[in-house]
Amino acid sequence: MDLFELKKQIQTGALYNYYIFAGEETGIMNIYINQIDRICKLPIEKCDTVQAVYERIKKPGLVSNNKLFIVMHDKSFMKNEKLWSIVPKMVRGNRLILIYTKIDKRGKFFKQNDYVAFNPLPSEILGKYICKDIKLSESNARILADICECSYNR
């Protein structure tokens, strides 16, 4: 899945309950996480592993406590092929976003899972993101993007 398709899902509100975000452009990644949060209106809970998410979901409660779970760099999940097909069903009314900075393109995880790639953006596109945050002309925003090596975090 690419950023355009994710943006379309956010605009229509037709979100999946499970995403894998991968890439070094964490600034843009955070923008999309905030947009998903705004639409879902679920409290965000960060967990270390998918196993921890599963334990929280299984814990009985008096009230439905659906959440937007964020798990970063869970290497045990990348190695456990059996979980890859179970997780989307396990999440149910919750949402889960797995975040990885790098995924080995030679491995099974890359080949068998759909993920949204957050790679450095071209200066033209990054300039538009900058214009939303800072009052600059588009040409100056592109220059700033180039100076920052097309990294939104910088």
Side-chain angles (χ1 to χ4, degrees):
M1 174 188 303
D2 61 10
L3 282 176
F4 180 75
E5 188 176 334
L6 177 62
K7 189 173 186 176
K8 195 163 60 171
Q9 286 182 4
I10 290 170
Q11 289 171 341
T12 61
L15 296 169
Y16 297 154
N17 63 349
Y18 165 67
Y19 289 98
I20 299 172
F21 288 177
E24 296 177 15
E25 190 55 80
T26 56
I28 303 297
M29 198 181 293
N30 287 331
I31 290 172
Y32 281 91
I33 290 170
N34 290 333
Q35 289 177 356
I36 290 170
D37 177 45
R38 192 182 73 241
I39 289 170
C40 296
K41 298 179 180 151
L42 295 172
I44 293 177
E45 184 168 334
K46 294 184 178 183
C47 294
D48 294 329
T49 64
V50 173
Q51 179 66 34
V53 171
Y54 177 72
E55 290 169 7
R56 304 233 190 218
I57 290 172
K58 291 293 267 185
K59 190 184 288 185
L62 297 173
V63 186
S64 173
N65 291 327
N66 291 337
K67 295 184 177 161
L68 171 58
F69 292 100
I70 297 177
V71 176
M72 296 182 73
H73 310 291
D74 184 2
K75 293 186 181 193
S76 63
F77 177 74
M78 290 180 92
K79 296 175 185 174
N80 193 340
E81 293 179 44
K82 293 178 185 177
L83 284 178
W84 298 347
S85 60
I86 296 170
V87 166
K89 299 169 195 148
M90 171 196 85
V91 176
R92 291 178 270 170
N94 297 282
R95 306 269 185 203
L96 172 62
I97 299 175
L98 295 169
I99 299 174
Y100 297 96
T101 29
K102 293 185 180 182
I103 296 178
D104 184 4
K105 294 182 179 179
R106 299 168 295 168
K108 282 187 179 181
F109 186 77
F110 173 79
K111 294 174 183 172
Q112 295 182 6
N113 288 285
D114 192 22
Y115 70 96
V116 182
F118 287 87
N119 298 318
L121 299 172
S123 60
E124 297 81 27
I125 296 172
L126 188 58
K128 292 179 182 178
Y129 282 99
I130 292 170
C131 285
K132 290 179 183 178
D133 290 339
I134 305 171
K135 293 183 181 183
L136 286 176
S137 67
E138 280 194 38
S139 62
N140 285 337
R142 275 189 240 127
I143 292 169
L144 179 60
D146 286 333
I147 291 170
C148 296
E149 298 175 354
C150 291
S151 174
Y152 187 77
N153 291 330
R154 293 182 185 179

